[in-house]
Amino acid sequence: MQFPSEAKGIVAALVAALFTNFIMTIGKLMQNWGWPYFILSGLASLFASIGLAITMMCHLVSLLGRSQKSYHLEKREVKWVVLRGLFSSLLNVLNICAILAGAHIGSVAALGSVNTVVAALLGRLVLGEPLGKWHVLAMLLFLVGAVLISDPKEALSSMGSSLLGNLLALLAGVSLGFALISARKAGQASSTMLTFSTMAQRVIVCWVLALVLGKADGDIHSLAESPPKSILYFVMLLLVIFLANAFAAMSAKHCPAALSATLLTGGQMITGYLLDIFLFDKMPKIITIIGASLMLLAVITMTLMRLPAKTVEPDSPTTLANFVAGEYAERKNVNQEDEDQEKPGELRKRTVALEAEKVGKSTL
């Protein structure tokens, strides 16, 4: 029995959401164990970018001597490829920083969904896309949901640690919105090139942040003291990052964009809160669940606005009027063809009559 393509996309979106949360979970666990997350994450991104560079070079070599072009960019597209990589790398780092600052994994996913609002606003300003009343309603839902998730009273009473984490999660969502717009402005840039730009810049961002944090990122000497664990964490990070991107790409290929975005957001929220409960013993409050639900409703509203309107084929007789119009047009075409077929015979008759008239005149 063949598995439907859209069902594959749905499963891929949910698996991608799970592995995305695994990346943040690994960062939190490595911090608790005193291991330098950003150093190993930068190293994993370096290996991934090298693999992508080799893949692109092999593809270019295979096209030598052919007229087909690959990885060609216009001058105006280069900056958007760079910006897309920058904002995407900042997205991952801000998500990890939000978790380390005390935010719930599920709340990070919920607050990060603000990217749909940012994308709508930037789409209006940069791309000239329409902005309707449903977009405004979704923005209000996002605002109320973000306030409920942040729970300012508790955040202030806990010296602002969770509030800082929630603010970083919002910044991550803003970065994702900028990354989406940059990807659209990148024109004909391939997904491989965009991913390479992200991984290459992520190396720089992770290692710069590791230098800034110093020992707060973890003890670098632990890498040399236990090489087997270092290799294990490195392989684990590389595998999770690869699988998260691979399943996200599979979801985009087999599933409609609106459904994929909703599933990714909802899947990250649900699995994120489950990881908080079972791994970190953090039970979300009712007010947090309500806020996350409002933000998920806002995501659904925004994605439904992006669905194309259903159109009726002009030649399909789905209504009585279309059927009658179709029958009339067909009957008219048949009559026209009959008239066209009669014209050659009439012309021959007139020609014979004229010739006979000429002959009669000449004999007189």
Side-chain angles (χ1 to χ4, degrees), residues 9 71 104 147 174 187 191 193 204 208 231 236 256 272 306 342 351:
Y71 308 117
H104 293 270
V147 172
V174 173
S191 58
M193 185 177 295
I204 300 173
V208 168
I231 296 174
M236 185 169 55
R306 298 178 185 178
E342 292 176 357
T351 303

Side-chain angles (χ1 to χ4, degrees), residues 69-302:
K69 293 182 179 180
S70 184
Y71 308 117
H72 175 72
L73 290 177
E74 302 291 339
K75 289 184 178 180
R76 59 183 178 83
E77 296 174 349
V78 174
K79 64 178 180 181
W80 293 110
V81 172
V82 175
L83 287 175
R84 199 272 184 181
L86 175 62
F87 288 121
S88 295
S89 58
L90 288 176
L91 163 68
N92 178 263
V93 171
L94 287 171
N95 277 333
I96 297 298
C97 291
I99 297 297
L100 299 182
H104 293 270
I105 298 178
S107 298
V108 170
L111 293 170
S113 63
V114 75
N115 72 85
T116 55
V117 173
V118 176
L121 292 175
L122 290 176
R124 174 64 177 175
L125 296 175
V126 179
L127 303 175
E129 296 178 345
L131 191 66
K133 58 183 179 180
W134 290 106
H135 295 92
V136 177
L137 175 62
M139 293 177 192
L140 292 176
L141 291 174
F142 269 113
L143 180 61
V144 176
V147 172
L148 293 177
I149 289 175
S150 300
D151 194 1
K153 183 178 179 180
E154 181 187 0
L156 293 175
S157 63
S158 61
M159 302 302 293
S161 59
S162 61
L163 180 60
L164 175 61
N166 292 331
L167 290 176
L168 290 173
L170 283 173
L171 288 177
V174 173
S175 297
L176 179 55
F178 277 97
L180 294 174
I181 294 297
S182 300
R184 293 187 59 183
K185 296 288 289 183
Q188 298 179 352
S190 65
S191 58
T192 305
M193 185 177 295
L194 293 175
T195 306
F196 171 77
S197 176
T198 299
M199 290 298 170
Q201 295 186 69
R202 186 177 172 183
V203 176
I204 300 173
V205 173
C206 285
W207 284 353
V208 168
L209 190 57
L211 290 175
V212 172
L213 293 175
K215 291 185 177 180
D217 182 40
D219 188 6
I220 193 173
H221 298 290
S222 59
L223 298 177
E225 292 175 357
S226 180
K229 283 187 178 180
S230 302
I231 296 174
L232 176 63
Y233 293 152
F234 166 75
V235 173
M236 185 169 55
L237 273 175
L238 184 61
L239 184 63
V240 170
I241 291 172
F242 172 76
L243 289 176
N245 285 277
F247 279 107
M250 186 185 300
S251 171
K253 181 178 180 181
H254 294 283
C255 194
L259 180 59
S260 177
T262 305
L263 289 172
L264 283 170
T265 303
Q268 281 187 253
M269 288 184 190
I270 295 172
T271 57
Y273 284 123
L274 290 176
L275 288 171
D276 281 325
I277 294 171
F278 291 106
L279 286 182
F280 302 108
D281 198 21
K282 288 185 177 181
M283 181 66 68
K285 294 184 176 180
I286 297 297
I287 189 173
T288 303
I289 300 298
I290 295 174
S293 301
L294 288 176
M295 299 198 81
L296 180 59
L297 179 60
V299 171
I300 295 174
T301 303
M302 296 290 283

